[in-house]
Amino acid sequence: MPVTALRRIALGGWAGLVALAIAAAPALGTAALARHSTVDNPAAASASPTPVSLAVLVPLTVRPTATGLIDATALAAYTAPFGVLTRQLDAVIGTQAVIGLDPMILASIKVLGTSAPASATTWLERLRTSGNEVFALAYADADLAALSRADALKLRVPVNFTFAIDPRNFGPSATASPTPSPSVSPTAPPVDDSGSPPPLPTDPTDVLAWSYTLTSIAWPSDDSVVGGDLADLSAAGYRSVVVSSGNVSATASGYVDLPGIHGIVADAGVTSLVRDAVYSSDPAGPQDALDRVNSALRGMSAVSPGRTVVATLDRRWPLGALNLHALFQDLAAQSSVIPVGLTQVLAGAHPAATIVDEPEESTRTAQVDTAVEAIAAESQFATVAADPTAVTAPRRLAFLALLAVSWLRGTDDWAGQVTTFLADSQTLVGSVHIVAGSDLVVGSGATNIPVTVSNANNFPIVVYVNVDSPSSVLQVRAQNVPLTVEAGSSNKAAIPVAALTNGQVDTTITLTSAAGVAIGDADTVSVDLHPGWESVGTALAIALLVLIFGGGIARNIVKRRAARRAHHAEAPGD
């Protein structure tokens, strides 16, 4: 007899013993047994009169990128016959798996228009017609619990994708539709089989549009939600949040009422066993894990007949095996479980429960807070640009990618990613600055202080130049002097000033944006004032002219008088 068959017989016998123990010891409580059934109680009965309903949530994600978009080369590799996205889609199609889709994948394909790899557009069409229930993850699968903790859930929505779109790859823009709530995904337009280019997206909702089966579901990282997050998620428009069973009070349901929001409860024990079965690359491993899944579900059906159970796969890289078809085929052969979609879970009983706060990782929390502060500083800096979204749009995507849940597995240097992100932020806000000037000498009357501004960005900027004189001996005759600096260049402003008396003044030169935000560091220029030198010089010049002309006149008079006397001496009769 095969080993697996013997194992099932043994488990069935153990299930009968457990069922007798449950009948003899009601004080244990069905709720407590249900909570720990997947770990402490492998099976509760050899047969279940009413099978449990099991929904399996599968994230459809890729490795986080630094930019928050997947380039065409990577997309072609991911959607190739053995690419990671193709493997994931192959694994879920034909099963009851519920897909949590990273909108970054959609956006990366759709911003390319006609230049998108053919394999990517084919993959997108396969997803659209898969028949699986699909809901949207946060963009780049950003950790919503981390955003909530940093009071930054408003940053979960991309600003726009204009910077990544080449209009030549699109047809005329479609008529803009009203912008929906960020938690409700707009419906994707019908597929155009005519071969004409897609319409030019004019709004981020055009790029992110998709026909999701389920909406308003938040799926943060495992065991990361605290009670304070619930109100924030609800205020952000989410109606349900996926939480681990260890993160909520005891319940015998996969769907509960939490304060202000519903909870989709992923049973920690079943989830662990399902992940073992799906990801195992050992030929004997998956079946052993499947046997343990079935044993756990039989125990649940004995303790809580007809209850709903949710299991989740995690976001891992590299992906490894994906034995989802084997899982669902095995589940279909069991009498104690019915594989279902999430819609059926959400339609079932939802008893009240509360959040059990998990300890926060103070180091990671501090790193997220620092990244949020950097984004706020960048938003202020962006006011120098004629189009501020030229700054904020790409940086928002990079920020969301930084918070991808898959960074939390500890297999990558997330701290290094944070360091790089913050360094890029500092480079950005320092990309517009005053070029240090030389000390100046100013005489009397009006003159100008030259101020040179450099712009290292790939977009033009407008700044306002101000010169502050701490002394009244130097009069600044204009403030907020506008200066436009083209992309990757520098330009010079002339600030009119006048010296009223002799002295030396250290002037402070600053830049602001149109919104009054200080840009870059201030510069100091020392100005020597010598208006008296001009007065003395003028007097000397006048005196010299008087001497020259006066001397010439006197000389002429003397010569004429001398000539007249000589004439009289030669003709005395006259």
Side-chain angles (χ1 to χ4, degrees):
M1 181 177 293
V3 175
T4 55
L6 291 173
R7 184 183 296 112
R8 286 181 178 175
I9 292 174
L11 288 172
W14 173 245
L17 293 175
V18 173
L20 291 174
I22 292 173
L28 289 174
T30 58
L33 284 169
R35 178 176 174 81
H36 299 289
S37 62
T38 59
V39 178
D40 301 326
N41 305 314
S46 58
S48 173
T50 305
V52 299
S53 298
L54 173 66
V56 180
L57 309 189
V58 179
L60 199 53
T61 62
V62 296
R63 183 182 179 89
T65 68
T67 62
L69 284 171
I70 311 167
D71 61 45
T73 302
L75 278 174
Y78 288 162
T79 55
F82 297 101
V84 63
L85 283 177
T86 299
R87 290 172 53 213
Q88 290 183 77
L89 197 54
D90 288 345
V92 296
I93 287 180
T95 74
Q96 292 91 350
V98 181
I99 299 173
L101 175 64
D102 181 357
M104 180 181 71
I105 301 172
L106 292 178
S108 299
I109 298 173
K110 294 170 75 171
V111 297
L112 294 176
T114 56
S115 67
S119 60
T121 55
T122 300
W123 182 91
L124 210 55
E125 180 61 13
R126 287 188 66 207
L127 174 64
R128 189 182 70 84
T129 58
S130 66
N132 294 79
E133 292 184 348
V134 183
F135 67 93
L137 301 174
Y139 189 91
D141 194 24
D143 186 9
L144 292 170
L147 285 170
S148 173
R149 214 71 42 80
D151 194 24
L153 276 172
K154 60 183 178 295
L155 299 179
R156 76 191 186 282
V157 183
V159 176
N160 68 39
F161 297 91
T162 305
F163 72 96
I165 292 175
D166 185 345
R168 294 173 296 181
N169 295 324
F170 297 87
S173 60
T175 303
S177 57
T179 302
S181 167
S183 62
V184 180
S185 301
T187 301
V191 176
D192 184 2
D193 296 326
S194 65
S196 59
L200 178 67
T202 57
D203 189 88
T205 55
D206 295 336
V207 176
L208 298 172
W210 192 252
S211 298
Y212 290 107
T213 312
L214 304 162
T215 59
S216 307
I217 296 175
W219 188 358
S221 57
D222 294 344
D223 296 305
S224 62
V225 177
V226 299
D229 297 335
L230 302 182
D232 293 338
L233 291 170
S234 178
Y238 291 104
R239 295 195 296 269
S240 303
V241 56
V242 179
V243 292
S244 175
S245 59
N247 212 171
V248 297
S249 57
T251 179
S253 175
Y255 189 51
V256 299
D257 282 339
L258 297 171
I261 197 170
H262 294 299
I264 299 169
V265 182
D267 185 275
V270 174
T271 289
S272 178
L273 294 175
V274 165
R275 292 178 182 180
D276 287 345
V278 170
Y279 294 130
S280 175
S281 58
D282 183 356
Q287 188 57 56
D288 180 70
L290 288 172
D291 291 341
R292 287 184 283 124
V293 170
N294 295 328
S295 178
L297 294 174
R298 282 196 298 270
M300 284 186 165
S301 65
V303 174
S304 301
R307 66 163 290 181
T308 55
V309 183
V310 176
T312 63
L313 300 190
D314 60 353
R315 292 86 144 177
R316 64 173 59 199
W317 191 274
L319 186 62
L322 266 177
N323 304 309
L324 276 170
H325 280 275
L327 170 69
F328 281 101
Q329 288 173 358
D330 191 82
L331 293 175
Q334 308 304 317
S335 60
S336 59
V337 58
I338 300 176
V340 298
L342 194 54
T343 299
Q344 187 166 333
V345 174
L346 301 184
H350 41 91
T354 57
I355 284 290
V356 177
D357 289 355
E358 294 288 339
E360 297 183 42
E361 296 182 21
S362 57
T363 300
R364 182 172 183 273
T365 299
Q367 290 170 321
V368 173
D369 288 342
T370 303
V372 170
E373 292 170 1
I375 284 291
E378 292 171 11
S379 297
Q380 292 290 302
F381 169 79
T383 56
V384 302
D387 177 13
T389 63
V391 179
T392 58
R395 290 298 293 169
R396 177 72 61 86
L397 299 190
F399 169 75
L400 292 173
L402 179 69
L403 297 188
V405 172
S406 55
W407 284 124
L408 304 181
R409 290 181 51 81
T411 57
D412 294 289
D413 181 16
W414 188 70
Q417 296 294 321
V418 173
T419 299
T420 300
F421 178 85
L422 296 177
D424 291 343
S425 182
Q426 287 296 317
T427 299
L428 174 63
V429 298
S431 60
V432 175
H433 63 275
I434 301 168
V435 178
S438 303
D439 294 344
L440 301 173
V441 176
V442 176
S444 63
T447 188
N448 294 316
I449 293 180
V451 178
T452 302
V453 178
S454 175
N455 173 25
N457 296 291
N458 59 357
F459 50 82
I461 60 149
V462 177
V463 291
Y464 292 81
V465 184
N466 295 277
V467 175
D468 178 44
S469 171
S471 173
S472 60
V473 299
L474 178 66
Q475 184 182 67
V476 181
R477 295 185 171 178
Q479 294 286 16
N480 290 323
V481 177
L483 178 66
T484 299
V485 187
E486 296 300 327
S489 64
S490 60
N491 199 3
K492 184 179 293 185
I495 311 302
V497 296
L500 303 182
T501 185
N502 294 344
Q504 183 172 356
V505 176
D506 290 334
T507 60
T508 302
I509 304 173
T510 57
L511 304 178
T512 60
S513 68
V517 176
I519 303 299
D521 296 328
D523 187 38
T524 300
V525 173
S526 180
V527 181
D528 287 329
L529 310 177
H530 299 287
W533 287 7
E534 280 194 22
S535 299
V536 172
T538 301
L540 290 174
I542 293 172
L544 183 59
L545 290 174
V546 170
L547 289 174
I548 293 173
F549 286 102
I553 294 170
R555 182 169 174 271
N556 288 336
I557 293 172
V558 171
K559 287 175 65 178
R560 288 180 181 180
R561 287 180 177 177
R564 186 176 299 169
R565 284 195 297 268
H567 176 71
H568 286 301
E570 292 175 358
D574 295 340

